[in-house]
């Protein structure tokens, strides 16, 4: 059984959803967690986050799907830059034996018929496709990325 993690990184936190794809194509969730960046000195907090991520993903995880960076039409604001910085820390902390897939959230679709926002608001879709531990609404995007790592679209 392949254990996968979907990850969404913002400027101050990393949302991780862990699970495995069943034979019927649904996902059984094992964990839904948020790793918050410590307050205070940002370089020290980033070093601590690196250690936490490395420790967390060192055993039992085969693949990680992380939401890729997206360029905007306008100059990046501090929050966007901090998110990219934390995403870099996250990616560098993933152990070498873990396969990494960076994917854009907009690539997730049901036969290309729905936008990502439609999925995130579709309670019926999540109840049909995800079982196991309760999935928080704020973790849905990370959970959807797990389908990409398993090649299901």
């Amino acid at each position: 059984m392949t254990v996968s993690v979907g990850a969404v990184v913002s400027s101050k936190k990393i949302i991780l959803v862990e699970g495995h794809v069943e034979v019927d194509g649904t996902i059984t969730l094992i964990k839904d967690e948020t790793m918050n960046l410590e307050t205070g000195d940002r370089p020290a907090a980033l070093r601590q986050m690196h250690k936490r991520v490395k420790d967390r993903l060192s055993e039992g995880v085969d693949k990680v799907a992380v939401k890729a960076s997206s360029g905007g039409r306008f100059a990046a604001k501090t929050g966007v830059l901090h998110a990219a910085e934390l995403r870099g820390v996250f990616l560098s902390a993933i152990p070498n034996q873990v396969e990494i897939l960076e994917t854009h959230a907009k690539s997730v679709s049901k036969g290309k018929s729905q936008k990502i926002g439609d999925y995130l608001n579709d309670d019926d879709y999540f109840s049909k496709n995800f079982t196991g531990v309760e999935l928080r609404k704020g973790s849905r995007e990370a959970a959807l990325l797990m389908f990409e790592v398993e090649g299901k679209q």
Side-chain angles (χ1 to χ4, degrees):
M1 169 177 54
T2 300
V3 176
S4 301
V5 170
V8 175
V9 181
S10 68
S11 62
K12 296 181 182 179
K13 66 184 177 185
I14 301 171
I15 297 173
L16 300 175
V17 176
E18 181 177 333
H20 56 86
V21 177
E22 300 294 340
V23 176
D24 65 0
T26 61
I27 292 180
T28 298
L29 299 171
I30 301 167
K31 291 181 183 175
D32 175 3
E33 63 186 307
T34 299
M35 301 174 84
N36 291 307
L37 189 65
E38 294 179 5
T39 57
D41 182 50
R42 189 163 176 89
L46 292 171
R47 283 192 300 275
Q48 182 61 29
M49 181 63 84
H50 185 280
K51 180 181 180 344
R52 289 174 59 202
V53 169
K54 188 171 185 173
D55 291 347
R56 168 64 179 81
L57 300 177
S58 287
E59 292 193 31
V61 175
D62 302 298
K63 299 178 181 182
V64 172
V66 63
K67 182 180 173 185
S69 298
S70 295
R73 298 183 326 186
F74 305 102
K77 299 207 183 298
T78 303
V80 172
L81 296 173
H82 281 175
E85 184 177 62
L86 186 54
R87 187 177 302 104
V89 168
F90 176 75
L91 289 170
S92 71
I94 297 172
N96 291 335
Q97 74 273 15
V98 177
E99 183 180 339
I100 303 169
L101 172 69
E102 285 188 279
T103 187
H104 292 277
K106 64 184 175 184
S107 71
V108 178
S109 71
K110 293 185 212 173
K112 307 297 183 199
S113 65
Q114 285 194 15
K115 294 181 180 181
I116 187 71
D118 295 332
Y119 280 113
L120 298 179
N121 295 318
D122 189 345
D123 294 335
D124 188 48
Y125 176 81
F126 279 92
S127 66
K128 288 179 183 175
N129 288 282
F130 294 90
T131 61
V133 301
E134 187 174 340
L135 182 66
R136 299 171 296 162
K137 279 199 173 191
S139 300
R140 286 181 171 184
E141 189 171 21
L144 285 173
L145 295 176
M146 293 173 64
F147 282 125
E148 293 295 307
V149 81
E150 294 302 324
K152 180 186 179 212
Q153 294 184 313

